[in-house]
Amino acid sequence: MTAAGRPQRDGLSIGAVLAQLRGDFPDVTISKIRFLEAEGLVQPGRTPSGYRQFAAADVERLRFVLAAQRDHYLPLKVIKEQLDGGGGGGGGARPPPPPPPALPRPPRRLVPIDAPAENVGLPVAADFTTGKELRLTQEELLEQAGIDAAALAELQQYGLVRPGPAGFFDPDAVLVARTVKAMTEFGIEPRHLRAFRAAADREVGLLEQIVTPVYRHRDPEAKSRADEVVRELAALSVTLHTLLVKAGIRGVAGC
């Protein structure tokens, strides 16, 4: 027995798991772990009294899930499919699954717009979470994006790039500027892209309607769940947009 009277067997308590994960994932919380359990990403055992017991393989699964979200922006459904595809237990006593393959964390850098597709992909997408982010001055943005002040002014005029309240830009602004610059080589000008800004704003409005009521709940797990919903929906909206554009272009090309 522990000092608190809880049976201490082979597994780890949720608090012990949190302590192990916090070093690599400072934002993880007990609520987050419980949410991932509720979504079927991890299935810890239980003591006769109902306390969770996490095996070493459960901790590795949690590390895999958290790294996939943080570094690769994958939706939980995709992560779960990857984990389940790696094998699992059968009926009865659940044997621990083999540790999932490690996901290498990409370096924190801006990806050139002309980089190979495999180097662009998901890391270019937004993290959809709040936190300490790199802040760029206008001069730094111009240098990293390879544009001049007149081009930046045009991007701002049409709402494609927006500085924060303090006048700084985030790394996504550089990626937007590079993307627009690449599109201008095909004869597309920033003024032609106002529809993208309007569509993005409509998507933000739709997501706000869904998650704002969740954020207002007093349940201590509500914020964690709302953050997860935002991340999932935002990733899905990006995927849907890409698929619809691809389908439309195939239709134009008669493919």
Side-chain angles (χ1 to χ4, degrees), residues 59-247:
V59 179
E60 289 306 309
R61 284 178 69 95
L62 287 170
R63 288 186 183 279
F64 180 86
V65 173
L66 295 171
Q69 287 187 308
R70 180 192 64 190
D71 302 336
H72 298 269
Y73 316 103
L74 296 180
L76 287 182
K77 181 179 179 181
V78 174
I79 299 172
K80 189 173 188 301
E81 289 174 352
Q82 291 184 358
L83 288 169
D84 293 344
R94 181 176 60 88
L103 285 174
R105 184 172 187 179
R108 184 178 176 80
R109 61 185 177 87
L110 296 173
V111 181
I113 197 64
D114 56 351
E118 64 268 21
N119 293 335
V120 181
L122 288 172
V124 174
D127 190 0
F128 305 120
T129 57
T130 57
K132 293 182 179 179
E133 289 291 344
L134 180 64
R135 300 195 305 171
L136 305 172
T137 64
Q138 177 173 316
E139 290 72 22
E140 290 171 331
L141 170 62
L142 296 176
E143 179 182 357
Q144 295 191 30
I147 61 175
D148 56 26
L152 176 59
E154 194 173 9
L155 293 178
Q156 291 182 269
Q157 177 184 353
Y158 296 110
L160 299 172
V161 169
R162 296 170 176 171
F168 292 97
F169 298 88
D170 61 27
D172 286 341
V174 178
L175 295 173
V176 169
R178 288 180 177 179
T179 302
V180 175
K181 180 183 178 183
M183 295 177 78
T184 60
E185 298 177 2
F186 295 89
I188 299 175
E189 300 177 13
R191 61 188 176 88
H192 297 142
L193 302 176
R194 286 178 292 185
F196 285 79
R197 177 75 269 170
D201 289 340
R202 286 195 297 269
E203 290 179 20
V204 170
L206 176 61
L207 299 189
E208 283 181 342
Q209 294 179 38
I210 297 172
V211 301
T212 297
V214 182
Y215 276 119
R216 290 175 178 170
H217 287 176
R218 295 186 177 182
D219 181 351
E221 296 187 15
K223 185 180 185 303
S224 175
R225 183 172 292 273
D227 288 342
E228 194 64 41
V229 169
V230 169
R231 188 179 296 109
E232 290 280 304
L233 286 175
L236 289 172
S237 68
V238 170
T239 300
L240 177 61
H241 176 84
T242 302
L243 293 173
L244 291 176
V245 171
K246 287 172 64 178

